[in-house]
Amino acid sequence: MEFLLPVFLKLFPNMLPSTFQDKMKEEEALKRKLKARMEYAKFLQDTAKEMAKEVQTSRSGETKQTAEDLDEFLNKVRKGERVSNDEILSFAKLFNDELTLDNMSRARLVNMCKYMGIRPFGTDHYLRFMLRKKLRDIKNDDKMIQAEGVDSL
């Protein structure tokens, strides 16, 4: 029987328990996750760019300048340049209503849940609750890291 084990594994590749997964399957799963996260990041970038275009087409000259600044800011972020906290906060005001969880469609909520590692099943209210809970946990972790110092990691 020991000598027939390789033959059986060739005929029935899923015969081994999941603890014996080979590296290829693990790498494929990681690649799928990375691809999904890249798609979601592109989705968020497209949303920000779309909102910048909407702001740019508005009638106010001041708002138009803000849209041009936002476009420059997004280009800096894409290139990986350093961005100050003040710049981030100045542009965060533009997105205060559009990107809140309360105004998101179900498709966006499901995508955010998948991105954050939350099972996307349930009502919209439940998904919002789970996202808020996950964000609160991340904020608490950040506060603990800030209190202890990054060097302690």
Side-chain angles (χ1 to χ4, degrees):
M1 285 306 280
E2 291 178 17
F3 296 114
L4 291 177
L5 186 61
V7 174
F8 282 117
L9 287 177
K10 191 67 173 171
L11 293 174
F12 307 103
N14 293 329
M15 189 172 90
L16 284 178
S18 62
T19 56
F20 294 103
Q21 284 185 351
D22 54 18
K23 289 263 186 189
M24 295 297 284
K25 288 184 181 179
E26 291 177 20
E27 288 177 6
E28 287 175 14
L30 287 174
K31 285 180 183 178
R32 279 195 309 268
K33 283 183 182 179
L34 179 63
K35 185 178 178 183
R37 288 185 177 186
M38 295 287 283
E39 287 176 9
Y40 187 69
K42 185 179 182 324
F43 165 75
L44 286 178
Q45 287 177 346
D46 292 342
T47 302
K49 193 176 237 184
E50 182 180 308
M51 290 177 68
K53 285 180 183 177
E54 287 176 9
V55 170
Q56 195 170 14
T57 58
S58 70
R59 56 188 172 270
S60 168
E62 178 182 322
T63 309
K64 196 169 206 170
Q65 180 61 39
T66 305
E68 291 169 0
D69 293 342
L70 176 62
D71 193 35
E72 291 174 15
F73 173 74
L74 289 175
N75 287 332
K76 279 175 60 175
V77 170
R78 284 189 191 110
K79 291 177 185 173
E81 296 178 15
R82 202 155 202 30
V83 180
S84 70
N85 290 341
D86 295 331
E87 287 178 299
I88 294 171
L89 291 175
S90 67
F91 291 115
K93 293 181 280 185
L94 296 174
F95 301 100
N96 61 354
D97 287 334
E98 291 297 321
L99 291 178
T100 58
L101 293 177
D102 295 331
N103 295 332
M104 282 192 174
S105 65
R106 177 159 181 85
R108 286 185 181 176
L109 287 172
V110 168
N111 285 334
M112 284 190 72
C113 285
K114 287 179 183 177
Y115 179 74
M116 299 289 283
I118 300 170
R119 293 183 343 145
F121 301 111
T123 63
D124 291 350
H125 295 290
Y126 179 72
L127 296 179
R128 287 183 184 104
F129 168 76
M130 292 303 291
L131 284 168
R132 283 189 182 107
K133 182 179 174 204
K134 183 75 170 184
L135 289 172
R136 193 173 346 149
D137 291 344
I138 291 172
K139 283 182 184 178
N140 289 338
D141 288 344
D142 287 348
K143 287 178 184 175
M144 289 180 67
I145 289 171
Q146 186 179 16
E148 294 174 3
V150 178
D151 297 331
S152 67
L153 293 176

